[in-house]
Amino acid sequence: MTGTSGVMGLAIVTIQLLAMVQSFGQTLAVAALEGLYHRFYASLGISYVQSFAKAEPTRATALYWNTLMVSGVMAGPAVGLIAQAYDFQTVIRSASVMAVVAGAVLMAGRPPRHQPV
């Protein structure tokens, strides 16, 4: 698994495993997998945003991190509302849907590959 589809697949698997943990040991193992996913996600996200502002990589990086922080602030109350209305598994499964949507946006927004002549 490489690139966008690999990170998206890892995100979906990780989130689904988080929804199924039943012991502390399983939680530790899935948390390590989640850390790996976040490392790939951050690298891919920064590269993607910087590709749109090649002349200003520091500005693109700042935009990426600020957007990440704002979305985290917005996601907190959403997680609470969904968990209160349904349950925590619904929150986890909703995160899987968002991972699929994010992957689709990344795939749709990437520049076309140049074919060799």
Side-chain angles (χ1 to χ4, degrees):
M1 291 190 310
T2 59
T4 305
S5 60
V7 174
M8 183 178 72
L10 183 60
I12 293 167
V13 168
T14 301
I15 291 167
Q16 292 305 311
L17 288 173
L18 279 171
M20 296 185 290
V21 295
Q22 296 180 357
S23 70
F24 183 69
Q26 289 175 346
T27 303
L28 289 177
V30 176
L33 187 61
E34 185 181 24
L36 180 66
Y37 152 67
H38 282 292
R39 181 177 180 160
F40 288 142
Y41 174 80
S43 298
L44 182 63
I46 288 173
S47 297
Y48 181 77
V49 172
Q50 286 177 342
S51 73
F52 291 103
K54 293 183 194 277
E56 301 181 80
T58 54
R59 188 175 192 163
T61 302
L63 176 66
Y64 170 78
W65 282 110
N66 289 338
T67 303
L68 191 65
M69 295 302 127
V70 169
S71 64
V73 168
M74 293 171 61
V79 165
L81 290 171
I82 294 170
Q84 189 173 18
Y86 301 100
D87 60 7
F88 189 67
Q89 278 75 21
T90 304
V91 172
I92 298 293
R93 301 224 189 309
S94 299
S96 290
V97 171
M98 290 296 109
V100 170
V101 170
V105 168
L106 285 173
M107 299 289 268
R110 71 180 177 187
R113 294 183 181 181
H114 298 288
Q115 298 293 331
V117 179

